[in-house]
């Protein structure tokens, strides 16, 4: 799995080496043809800690906290990876090439709605087949050259993990429902809030990219929204003007 964290050309070279073996071809086909991957992660924090920060949980969903912990328990080529930790923390890591965020979030929301329609007995029925389910361990045949690439991938991945900086802040004053009562799009509200915050710090707009789903249109997939435009600049300057009503 670590090879999937490498640059595309490096992973391509390693994959070409893997498929020289018939067993590896079958294993790759099994992984690449499945709908999603479920990552069952170990808990890495001190057992005496009563709760974990959202920052730590977010980073675990993204990188697995490096190779030392769960970093090698990912297959980054899969569109959807469902991650579940032994302490109950869970989330998703998805690969953007196949679908933008809107499509993946929609699929996830629909899955939650389906679960809500099921009662507890149907989920945890003692007569279910969960106890008799079988699984097959997938083993790759790896030579010394591939082992070297895997070790290099582990080193590169840990550098990426260390270089990952994230913060999670919780805002409780109001949410999207209030913004909608102001006849304003919550997304537009956040985009302009980011522009205003950046302008206050650097006195210039921040070049931004936001994906916009166009799947509802014929041959539509995804387009981009740019929030740094003349109208945004005029608005931020007005917001900075103490004389502005």
């Amino acid at each position: 799995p670590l090879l999937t964290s490498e640059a595309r050309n490096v992973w391509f070279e390693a994959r070409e080496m893997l498929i020289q073996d018939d067993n590896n071809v079958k294993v790759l086909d099994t992984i690449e043809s499945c709908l999603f991957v479920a990552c069952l992660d170990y808990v890495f924090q001190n057992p005496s800690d009563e709760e974990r920060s959202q920052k730590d949980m977010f980073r675990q969903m993204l990188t697995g906290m490096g190779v030392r912990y769960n970093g090698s328990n990912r297959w980054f080529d899969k569109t959807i990876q469902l991650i579940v930790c032994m302490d109950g923390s869970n989330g998703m890591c998805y690969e953007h090439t196949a679908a933008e965020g809107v499509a993946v979030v929609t699929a996830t929301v629909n899955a939650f709605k389906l679960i809500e329609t099921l009662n507890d007995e149907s989920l945890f029925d003692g007569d279910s087949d969960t106890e008799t389910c079988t699984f097959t361990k997938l083993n790759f045949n790896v030579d010394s050259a591939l082992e070297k690439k895997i070790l290099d991938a582990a080193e590169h991945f840990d550098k990426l993990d260390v270089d990952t900086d994230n913060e999670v802040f919780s805002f409780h004053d109001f949410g999207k429902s209030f913004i909608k009562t102001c006849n304003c799009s919550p997304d537009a509200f956040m985009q302009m809030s980011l522009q205003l915050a950046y302008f206050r710090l650097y006195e210039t707009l921040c070049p931004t990219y936001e994906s916009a789903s166009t799947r509802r249109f014929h041959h539509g997939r995804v387009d981009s929204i740019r929030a740094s435009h003349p109208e945004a600049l005029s608005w931020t300057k007005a917001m900075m003007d103490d004389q502005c009503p």
Side-chain angles (χ1 to χ4, degrees), residues 1-15 71 74-77 95 146-160:
L2 282 170
L3 292 171
T4 64
S5 70
E6 283 281 39
R8 296 294 85 190
N9 60 318
V10 178
W11 167 218
F12 168 78
E13 294 171 358
R15 192 179 185 281
R74 300 285 185 272
W75 193 272
F76 289 106
D77 273 2
E95 204 283 313
L146 276 168
E147 287 181 357
K148 175 63 167 56
K149 285 187 174 294
I150 294 172
L151 292 174
D152 290 342
E155 181 179 350
H156 298 158
F157 185 77
D158 274 341
K159 289 181 179 179
L160 290 174

Side-chain angles (χ1 to χ4, degrees), residues 7-59:
R8 296 294 85 190
N9 60 318
V10 178
W11 167 218
F12 168 78
E13 294 171 358
R15 192 179 185 281
E16 288 295 299
M17 296 169 64
L18 279 170
I19 62 177
Q20 300 304 312
D21 183 282
D22 291 339
N23 171 73
N24 293 343
V25 172
K26 295 179 181 178
V27 173
L28 283 171
D29 181 66
T30 300
I31 298 174
E32 294 171 352
S33 62
C34 67
L35 292 177
F36 60 87
V37 169
C39 308
L40 306 180
D41 279 6
Y42 289 104
V43 179
F44 61 86
Q45 81 275 17
N46 191 323
S48 63
D49 292 343
E50 295 184 358
E51 62 181 47
R52 296 172 59 189
S53 68
Q54 290 184 325
K55 176 180 177 179
D56 280 350
M57 287 188 285
F58 181 87
R59 184 171 174 181

Side-chain angles (χ1 to χ4, degrees), residues 138-235:
L138 303 177
N139 292 308
F140 285 101
N141 294 327
V142 177
D143 58 20
S144 58
L146 276 168
E147 287 181 357
K148 175 63 167 56
K149 285 187 174 294
I150 294 172
L151 292 174
D152 290 342
E155 181 179 350
H156 298 158
F157 185 77
D158 274 341
K159 289 181 179 179
L160 290 174
D161 173 64
V162 171
D163 194 42
T164 299
D165 187 16
N166 68 87
E167 277 294 347
V168 178
F169 298 98
S170 297
F171 182 81
H172 302 287
D173 291 358
F174 58 85
K176 65 179 182 180
S177 296
F178 168 75
I179 298 173
K180 289 180 179 179
T181 64
C182 302
N183 295 323
C184 181
S185 161
D187 179 75
F189 184 95
M190 289 304 303
Q191 290 294 326
M192 296 308 297
S193 297
L194 293 171
Q195 290 293 349
L196 178 58
Y198 194 88
F199 191 88
R200 284 176 172 173
L201 291 172
Y202 304 107
E203 298 184 351
T204 185
L205 293 184
C206 175
T208 61
Y209 166 90
E210 181 188 8
S211 61
S213 178
T214 57
R215 288 178 178 271
R216 295 182 181 180
F217 300 93
H218 188 53
H219 296 313
R221 183 185 176 189
V222 65
D223 205 337
S224 63
I225 300 174
R226 308 289 183 180
S228 51
H229 43 67
E231 290 78 6
L233 180 60
S234 297
W235 180 84

